[in-house]
Amino acid sequence: GNSVTQMEGPVTLSEEAFLTINCTYTATGYPSLFWYVQYPGEGLQLLLKATKADDKGSNKGFEATYRKETTSFHLEKGSVQVSDSAVYFCALSPSGGYNKLIFGAGTRLAVHP
Amino acid sequence: DTEVTQTPKHLVMGMTNKKSLKCEQHMGHRAMYWYKQKAKKPPELMFVYSYEKLSINESVPSRFSPECPNSSLLNLHLHALQPEDSALYLCASSVGERGRGQPYEQYFGPGTRLTVT
């Protein structure tokens, strides 16, 4: 079946540190991959996406590359800010069928000054 | 305008009450979704509407009844809920379900936090 595995949190970093949140997936065919961010008390915001192998999604300094060979979509940011503190969800939408998002468990990021 | 709005923001209801959650978007999107999110868990899909017709029901109990009166509005009618139904209910919309074989990205509202007593 389709599934997403994310590294467990919380991830605690100092401001300006480098961020990596690991995400691997299991799916048949060529799913589309997404990172969503959820700030406290809010809904989900789409952070970035990639729809085919070797695509790199980027937004607000965050990047992730769709790696078919390792079935991974790791999220990176070169220098985090306190305002990046949130829960990050990796998600996939299977190829074909209806538009269903399958989410990973989420990784909580806490950035300290 | 890329906003999905949801009302109310918070709702407390008893197990015998009937209440409704409302979701609205004015982006011209033709697919709308309901998700349920328990604390510290990811969202789980409940329903998908495509062109105002229910296309997917993820085996949701009948005490949850969705309705799509028009292309901008999505309701979730609640009746005889259980305390374990307490959660954040998220609405999302997308241009359609798929275009050129790729899924359209989903835009989420802020959610309604529901407490069942």
Side-chain angles (χ1 to χ4, degrees), chain A residues 37-110:
Chain A
V37 58
Q38 187 172 32
Y39 297 101
E42 297 185 11
L44 276 70
Q45 297 178 24
L46 178 65
L47 187 56
L48 51 84
K49 70 174 184 180
T51 57
K52 62 182 187 296
D54 300 324
D55 265 2
K56 177 186 280 189
S58 61
N59 185 27
K60 301 180 182 179
F62 291 90
E63 292 184 342
T65 301
Y66 189 143
R67 301 286 188 200
K68 182 76 174 167
E69 63 276 13
T70 54
T71 61
S72 65
F73 192 54
H74 304 320
L75 182 68
E76 296 182 336
K77 187 176 185 185
S79 175
V80 293
Q81 306 299 311
V82 172
S83 56
D84 294 325
S85 298
V87 178
Y88 292 80
F89 291 98
C90 184
L92 70 82
S93 181
S95 56
Y98 59 93
N99 188 0
K100 174 177 181 174
L101 283 172
I102 297 166
F103 289 91
T107 302
R108 183 173 299 277
L109 170 66

Side-chain angles (χ1 to χ4, degrees), chain B residues 14-34:
Chain B
M15 289 189 284
T16 58
N17 291 159
K18 286 185 180 180
K19 296 286 185 183
S20 297
L21 310 184
K22 178 180 171 181
C23 172
E24 202 159 5
Q25 57 86 14
H26 295 287
M27 297 180 277
H29 289 179
R30 303 311 299 270
M32 296 185 78
Y33 312 77
W34 280 116

